[in-house]
Every structure is written in C-alpha cells, then in structure tokens.
Amino acid sequence: MKSLNEKKQIQLAEEEIKKYASIVESDPNRLRYHLMPPVGLMNDPNGLIYWKGTYHVFYQWMPFQTTHGAKFWGHYTSRDFVHWERQAPALAPSEWFDRNGCYSGSAVDNDGVLTLFYTGNVKDDDGTRHTYQCMAISSDGVRFEKKGVVVHLPDGYTAHFRDPKVWKHENKWYMVIGAQSEQLDGKAVLFRSDDLMHWEHIGAIAGGEGGSFGYMWECPDVFRLSRKDVLIVCPQGLQPEGMHYQNVYQAGYFVGQLNYETGKYVHGTFTELDRGFEFYAPQTMVDERGRRVMIAWMGVPDQDEDQHPTIAYRWVHALTLPRELVLIGDKLYQRPIEQLQLLRSDEVHHPNVFLQKEVRQFDGVKGKTVELLLKHIDGKGVLSIHIQNNVSFSYDFEQKVATLERESFARNGVKEKRQCLLSQLHTIHMFIDTSSIEIFLNDGEEVFTARFFPKEENEHISFQTNAEASFHLSKWKLC
C-alpha cells in the first residue's frame, strides 16, 4: 500500500506529463525507437528484469525539471524488448528514508514477487547526506509497496554508498553496492542474505587503490559469463590517458573470478565499455532466451547536460538500445539485440561498393531513423561516413584508429572527437535515431554512442575515402 504522500507525488508527476505533452512531442529531436522520459530528466536505467513474460525497464526520473533532483523511478514495459508501454511511476520520494530521491537500484524475482532494491537519499537542512538501501515489492508488476530499509551504512564508508545490484548465486542472495571509502577511494562492496531482508556485510571486492582509480564507484553490476565473473562499474575521478577516459566520468568492466565465500575478486585491468560521448550507468539482465543484455544511460553526469537543445522542449536524455553481451577471452563484445530487426522497413542493398578518392551518396541511403550495415570492409587511407552535416565516423587503415567526430552542441559548433585503436575493421553496424547514434564495430568489439543535434533539417548520408575502400552496404529505415 502506498503512503498518501507517495500517491500525491505520483499524481503530481502524471499531471506534469499531461501539462507538457504537446511541447515535448513537438521537439524535432525527439527519438523514435529509444526510451526517453515523457517529460523532465531521465538518467540511470534501473531494475532491468524479465518477469512473468514481460520486460521491465525502470529509470531515474525527475519529472518537474530538466536538472537533477529528488528522483522517481519511471517505468516502461515490453513484450518484445522493442515496443514499449509507459506505466505509472513505480517509486516516488516520499518517506523519511528516501525523501530526497529514490536513487538507482535493481530488481529480482523472489518466488513470484517482483522485488526492487534502491538507494534512499536523504539530505538534512545543512546539506548532510544520509543513505539507505531500501526494498519495495509488487505482485502485479505495476503497483509497488515500499518495505523500508534493509541495509544501513556500514563503518568505513561515506554516505556516497548507493546503487544496489542484487542477484542469486547457489541459493543465496548477493548485493553489490557502489561506494566511497572514508579514505575517498571508489569501491564495490558485497553483501549476502538468505531472505533479502537481513544482509551480511562481506566487504569490498574491488577498488580502494589510494584514490588512484577514482574517488567514487557508481552503478556496479556482477554477473557470470563464459565461466568468468564480470564486474561492471562507473568510476568517478579518472584522468584522461591518451584516447582513454575522455568523458567526465567513465563506465567499464573488470573480468576475473569471484570467491563468494571470502569476497575476494581476482581480476584483470579496467576496460571502457563505450568509446563515444554519452554512455554511463549500464545495467544488465538475463532475457527470456538466457542472453545477458545491457542497457545504459545515453548521457554522462555533469557533462554539458544543461546545453542539450531538447531542454527547450521540457525533456532531456534517453537510454541506449539493448545490447547482448558476449565474452570472448577477457573482452566484452556488445551486439544490438536481434529483436531490433522488427523495426526494419524499406530495405536497400548496394553490394560490391568500390570508392576511390571520392565522396558518394547511394540511392535510398538516407534518413533520420536509419540502420546501416557495412560488411567485408577493405581499404587504404581513411574511410569516412558523414551524417546530416553534423556527425561523422572514420577509420584510418594505416594508423588503425577509429574516430567519431561531431559538431559540439555546447561550444558553438566546435568539432570534437572520441577515438580508439582498432587493429582491423571488417564490419560497421550503425543505428541513427533523429538525434542519437550508436556504432558497433566488428560485431561489437568496440562501440561508440553519442547524441547529436543537426542545425539543418536534412537526411544526408555520404561515404568518402581519400584513397580506396570496398564494402557491401545495406540500409533499413527503422520504425
């Protein structure tokens, strides 16, 4: 049963959606096949789960403004992972333990009960922060009842202690939390439980390197893949190193082996998940086919958030496409899920393309919502793809460098870029959606994600080489 205060907060949020619906939907930058907020600000995906035949994606949501504040949990559901229906907000900031925000968390199926875990954020009048790990339950997947606090802040950590991810391993429940130690190190902290209500603090499984690898770790996720244990985490405070760590905050992973009894995690080095401009707070789930699927926030905290042109239309940010994760060696490959093919229409093929020191457009290859696939790529010099006179992707066959470049929406059209080394290029799989782009290279070996906002209304896509290039080209309109 929801409290009267929570019911009131949810009613106010629903009224906000109705109040600004026409303004939001009039935005030419509104996406067509990505999840977005109905109004206000969206950030971290939460509570990803396949439960009783339905996919659930919850998300951090501030309905009343396009800046961060006391977050709700927004809620979408789907039967096919592609077509989504908005549900009523699942959680609203309303109680003593979450009055300043229902922060990020996760979901599990507890004997048929959909069970959410989230961080309750509380701030005193003097700015002192308090943090609580909380639980809520639902029998129908739509109406949720808060059960209160299940984990209090243990000794040795600051109140930056949040984002519980819960899972089951050998008949016991485990929870990993993103944390900051009193020494200001980022850490991932493990708990164990028999009943989801009473939790044993096992300790930090990773982090705590004298502050040399971030002062805070957010949004941890632990899962088993190809007989190895993967830890996804978002370190804050890393400094740029060459092509690496170019965003304000990072999202990446470690691969190793976790001893569930001792909490010791032996792992390799940190690898970034995405090489683009907007990618953060990823979370994974297991879908109905047993695949490990990841969705992330198509944004980064404190990174030009106030400059997005969508703010003029009362909304900001979106989530990435769902991506299947496959572990090859110690490398996570990300692949757009198969179900996205349900969105395809207007198929166009141009086999055996050969370019030589030229720029070319192809019949039927244009649009605002487009899937492009280049296969069997070979070439010399630099191959580039230019999109709507705003964003371009290129690969230098000699330097072995992949580059995503865009016109900055925050700095008056200044060109900015993100890059990575790639020893060879044989496939480019690109998803363009009005004002977003996701590029999967070599079946997901590397991925670039970004928002872009063309000043001109055009649908141009062109291909260029300063030497020569060959490939097979396919294009689909999406939606």
Side-chain angles (χ1 to χ4, degrees), residues 1-2 63 134 199 275 277 286 324 362 419 421 431 435 457:
M1 195 77 180
K2 289 189 180 296
C134 310
W199 291 87
R275 306 299 184 174
F277 294 91
V286 177
E324 180 185 0
F362 295 92
Q419 297 180 297
L421 292 173
F431 290 80
S435 62
E457 186 63 34

PDB file of all heavy atoms in Angstrom, residues 1-2 63 134 199 275 277 286 324 362 419 421 431 435 457:
ATOM      1  N   MET A   1       0.840  -1.194   0.000  1.00  0.00           N
ATOM      2  CA  MET A   1       0.000   0.000   0.000  1.00  0.00           C
ATOM      3  C   MET A   1       0.879   1.249   0.000  1.00  0.00           C
ATOM      4  O   MET A   1       1.754   1.393   0.852  1.00  0.00           O
ATOM      5  CB  MET A   1      -0.877  -0.031   1.253  1.00  0.00           C
ATOM      6  CG  MET A   1      -2.026   0.931   1.236  1.00  0.00           C
ATOM      7  SD  MET A   1      -3.381   0.389   0.211  1.00  0.00           S
ATOM      8  CE  MET A   1      -4.474   1.769   0.492  1.00  0.00           C
ATOM      9  N   LYS A   2       0.689   2.113  -0.953  1.00  0.00           N
ATOM     10  CA  LYS A   2       1.475   3.343  -0.999  1.00  0.00           C
ATOM     11  C   LYS A   2       0.970   4.336   0.040  1.00  0.00           C
ATOM     12  O   LYS A   2      -0.235   4.404   0.336  1.00  0.00           O
ATOM     13  CB  LYS A   2       1.401   3.965  -2.384  1.00  0.00           C
ATOM     14  CG  LYS A   2       2.150   3.195  -3.455  1.00  0.00           C
ATOM     15  CD  LYS A   2       2.214   3.979  -4.747  1.00  0.00           C
ATOM     16  CE  LYS A   2       2.963   3.208  -5.830  1.00  0.00           C
ATOM     17  NZ  LYS A   2       4.362   2.977  -5.487  1.00  0.00           N
ATOM     18  N   PRO A  63      10.634  14.438 -12.963  1.00  0.00           N
ATOM     19  CA  PRO A  63       9.568  14.904 -13.860  1.00  0.00           C
ATOM     20  C   PRO A  63       9.366  16.407 -13.890  1.00  0.00           C
ATOM     21  O   PRO A  63       8.809  16.938 -14.863  1.00  0.00           O
ATOM     22  CB  PRO A  63       8.319  14.201 -13.314  1.00  0.00           C
ATOM     23  CG  PRO A  63       8.625  13.921 -11.883  1.00  0.00           C
ATOM     24  CD  PRO A  63      10.104  13.706 -11.802  1.00  0.00           C
ATOM     25  N   CYS A 134      17.032   0.265   0.290  1.00  0.00           N
ATOM     26  CA  CYS A 134      15.619   0.036   0.570  1.00  0.00           C
ATOM     27  C   CYS A 134      15.034  -1.020  -0.368  1.00  0.00           C
ATOM     28  O   CYS A 134      15.620  -1.344  -1.406  1.00  0.00           O
ATOM     29  CB  CYS A 134      14.842   1.341   0.408  1.00  0.00           C
ATOM     30  SG  CYS A 134      15.554   2.746   1.292  1.00  0.00           S
ATOM     31  N   TRP A 199      21.013  -8.641   5.825  1.00  0.00           N
ATOM     32  CA  TRP A 199      22.177  -8.691   4.955  1.00  0.00           C
ATOM     33  C   TRP A 199      23.475  -8.684   5.758  1.00  0.00           C
ATOM     34  O   TRP A 199      23.638  -7.885   6.686  1.00  0.00           O
ATOM     35  CB  TRP A 199      22.168  -7.507   3.990  1.00  0.00           C
ATOM     36  CG  TRP A 199      21.061  -7.599   2.974  1.00  0.00           C
ATOM     37  CD1 TRP A 199      19.784  -7.155   3.100  1.00  0.00           C
ATOM     38  CD2 TRP A 199      21.148  -8.212   1.684  1.00  0.00           C
ATOM     39  NE1 TRP A 199      19.058  -7.432   1.959  1.00  0.00           N
ATOM     40  CE2 TRP A 199      19.881  -8.080   1.069  1.00  0.00           C
ATOM     41  CE3 TRP A 199      22.176  -8.843   0.978  1.00  0.00           C
ATOM     42  CZ2 TRP A 199      19.601  -8.560  -0.203  1.00  0.00           C
ATOM     43  CZ3 TRP A 199      21.906  -9.325  -0.297  1.00  0.00           C
ATOM     44  CH2 TRP A 199      20.631  -9.189  -0.875  1.00  0.00           C
ATOM     45  N   ARG A 275      33.168   3.969 -26.427  1.00  0.00           N
ATOM     46  CA  ARG A 275      34.193   4.948 -26.792  1.00  0.00           C
ATOM     47  C   ARG A 275      33.611   6.301 -27.191  1.00  0.00           C
ATOM     48  O   ARG A 275      34.354   7.196 -27.588  1.00  0.00           O
ATOM     49  CB  ARG A 275      35.019   4.399 -27.959  1.00  0.00           C
ATOM     50  CG  ARG A 275      35.612   3.032 -27.724  1.00  0.00           C
ATOM     51  CD  ARG A 275      36.574   3.001 -26.554  1.00  0.00           C
ATOM     52  NE  ARG A 275      37.198   1.687 -26.402  1.00  0.00           N
ATOM     53  CZ  ARG A 275      38.164   1.398 -25.550  1.00  0.00           C
ATOM     54  NH1 ARG A 275      38.610   2.337 -24.727  1.00  0.00           N
ATOM     55  NH2 ARG A 275      38.669   0.179 -25.491  1.00  0.00           N
ATOM     56  N   PHE A 277      30.601   9.672 -26.684  1.00  0.00           N
ATOM     57  CA  PHE A 277      30.435  10.841 -25.826  1.00  0.00           C
ATOM     58  C   PHE A 277      29.429  10.618 -24.697  1.00  0.00           C
ATOM     59  O   PHE A 277      29.578  11.194 -23.622  1.00  0.00           O
ATOM     60  CB  PHE A 277      29.950  12.034 -26.660  1.00  0.00           C
ATOM     61  CG  PHE A 277      30.935  12.540 -27.667  1.00  0.00           C
ATOM     62  CD1 PHE A 277      30.936  12.053 -28.963  1.00  0.00           C
ATOM     63  CD2 PHE A 277      31.847  13.520 -27.327  1.00  0.00           C
ATOM     64  CE1 PHE A 277      31.833  12.536 -29.907  1.00  0.00           C
ATOM     65  CE2 PHE A 277      32.753  14.012 -28.254  1.00  0.00           C
ATOM     66  CZ  PHE A 277      32.750  13.514 -29.547  1.00  0.00           C
ATOM     67  N   VAL A 286      19.163 -10.894 -17.528  1.00  0.00           N
ATOM     68  CA  VAL A 286      19.069 -12.093 -18.361  1.00  0.00           C
ATOM     69  C   VAL A 286      17.696 -12.098 -19.017  1.00  0.00           C
ATOM     70  O   VAL A 286      16.670 -11.967 -18.335  1.00  0.00           O
ATOM     71  CB  VAL A 286      19.279 -13.367 -17.528  1.00  0.00           C
ATOM     72  CG1 VAL A 286      19.097 -14.616 -18.399  1.00  0.00           C
ATOM     73  CG2 VAL A 286      20.656 -13.369 -16.891  1.00  0.00           C
ATOM     74  N   GLU A 324      23.217  -7.262 -26.459  1.00  0.00           N
ATOM     75  CA  GLU A 324      23.622  -8.564 -25.940  1.00  0.00           C
ATOM     76  C   GLU A 324      25.119  -8.544 -25.670  1.00  0.00           C
ATOM     77  O   GLU A 324      25.914  -8.083 -26.497  1.00  0.00           O
ATOM     78  CB  GLU A 324      23.294  -9.666 -26.942  1.00  0.00           C
ATOM     79  CG  GLU A 324      23.705 -11.050 -26.445  1.00  0.00           C
ATOM     80  CD  GLU A 324      23.499 -12.151 -27.450  1.00  0.00           C
ATOM     81  OE1 GLU A 324      23.032 -11.863 -28.583  1.00  0.00           O
ATOM     82  OE2 GLU A 324      23.818 -13.323 -27.120  1.00  0.00           O
ATOM     83  N   PHE A 362      24.364   7.142 -52.021  1.00  0.00           N
ATOM     84  CA  PHE A 362      23.779   5.988 -52.699  1.00  0.00           C
ATOM     85  C   PHE A 362      22.260   6.088 -52.676  1.00  0.00           C
ATOM     86  O   PHE A 362      21.671   6.540 -51.677  1.00  0.00           O
ATOM     87  CB  PHE A 362      24.230   4.686 -52.020  1.00  0.00           C
ATOM     88  CG  PHE A 362      25.707   4.442 -52.138  1.00  0.00           C
ATOM     89  CD1 PHE A 362      26.583   4.892 -51.161  1.00  0.00           C
ATOM     90  CD2 PHE A 362      26.233   3.780 -53.234  1.00  0.00           C
ATOM     91  CE1 PHE A 362      27.944   4.673 -51.264  1.00  0.00           C
ATOM     92  CE2 PHE A 362      27.587   3.556 -53.359  1.00  0.00           C
ATOM     93  CZ  PHE A 362      28.453   4.014 -52.370  1.00  0.00           C
ATOM     94  N   GLN A 419      38.058   8.647 -29.871  1.00  0.00           N
ATOM     95  CA  GLN A 419      38.806   7.710 -30.707  1.00  0.00           C
ATOM     96  C   GLN A 419      39.169   6.451 -29.938  1.00  0.00           C
ATOM     97  O   GLN A 419      39.186   6.425 -28.704  1.00  0.00           O
ATOM     98  CB  GLN A 419      40.098   8.368 -31.198  1.00  0.00           C
ATOM     99  CG  GLN A 419      39.899   9.573 -32.092  1.00  0.00           C
ATOM    100  CD  GLN A 419      41.212  10.167 -32.539  1.00  0.00           C
ATOM    101  OE1 GLN A 419      42.012  10.640 -31.724  1.00  0.00           O
ATOM    102  NE2 GLN A 419      41.458  10.139 -33.845  1.00  0.00           N
ATOM    103  N   LEU A 421      41.897   2.731 -30.680  1.00  0.00           N
ATOM    104  CA  LEU A 421      42.689   1.897 -31.576  1.00  0.00           C
ATOM    105  C   LEU A 421      41.894   0.652 -31.940  1.00  0.00           C
ATOM    106  O   LEU A 421      41.198   0.071 -31.101  1.00  0.00           O
ATOM    107  CB  LEU A 421      43.999   1.499 -30.901  1.00  0.00           C
ATOM    108  CG  LEU A 421      44.998   2.635 -30.656  1.00  0.00           C
ATOM    109  CD1 LEU A 421      46.164   2.125 -29.820  1.00  0.00           C
ATOM    110  CD2 LEU A 421      45.492   3.216 -31.985  1.00  0.00           C
ATOM    111  N   PHE A 431      23.281   2.632 -35.933  1.00  0.00           N
ATOM    112  CA  PHE A 431      21.880   2.947 -35.677  1.00  0.00           C
ATOM    113  C   PHE A 431      21.755   4.451 -35.459  1.00  0.00           C
ATOM    114  O   PHE A 431      22.312   4.996 -34.502  1.00  0.00           O
ATOM    115  CB  PHE A 431      21.373   2.187 -34.450  1.00  0.00           C
ATOM    116  CG  PHE A 431      21.238   0.710 -34.654  1.00  0.00           C
ATOM    117  CD1 PHE A 431      22.355  -0.120 -34.590  1.00  0.00           C
ATOM    118  CD2 PHE A 431      20.005   0.137 -34.916  1.00  0.00           C
ATOM    119  CE1 PHE A 431      22.238  -1.487 -34.785  1.00  0.00           C
ATOM    120  CE2 PHE A 431      19.874  -1.227 -35.115  1.00  0.00           C
ATOM    121  CZ  PHE A 431      20.997  -2.048 -35.053  1.00  0.00           C
ATOM    122  N   SER A 435      18.376  12.092 -33.195  1.00  0.00           N
ATOM    123  CA  SER A 435      19.442  12.852 -32.538  1.00  0.00           C
ATOM    124  C   SER A 435      20.364  11.963 -31.719  1.00  0.00           C
ATOM    125  O   SER A 435      20.978  12.405 -30.756  1.00  0.00           O
ATOM    126  CB  SER A 435      18.843  13.947 -31.649  1.00  0.00           C
ATOM    127  OG  SER A 435      18.036  13.384 -30.621  1.00  0.00           O
ATOM    128  N   GLU A 457      17.784  20.841 -41.288  1.00  0.00           N
ATOM    129  CA  GLU A 457      16.899  19.700 -41.482  1.00  0.00           C
ATOM    130  C   GLU A 457      17.318  18.967 -42.755  1.00  0.00           C
ATOM    131  O   GLU A 457      17.012  19.409 -43.866  1.00  0.00           O
ATOM    132  CB  GLU A 457      15.446  20.166 -41.598  1.00  0.00           C
ATOM    133  CG  GLU A 457      14.435  19.029 -41.670  1.00  0.00           C
ATOM    134  CD  GLU A 457      14.425  18.174 -40.410  1.00  0.00           C
ATOM    135  OE1 GLU A 457      14.645  18.708 -39.309  1.00  0.00           O
ATOM    136  OE2 GLU A 457      14.215  16.948 -40.547  1.00  0.00           O
TER     137      GLU A 457
END
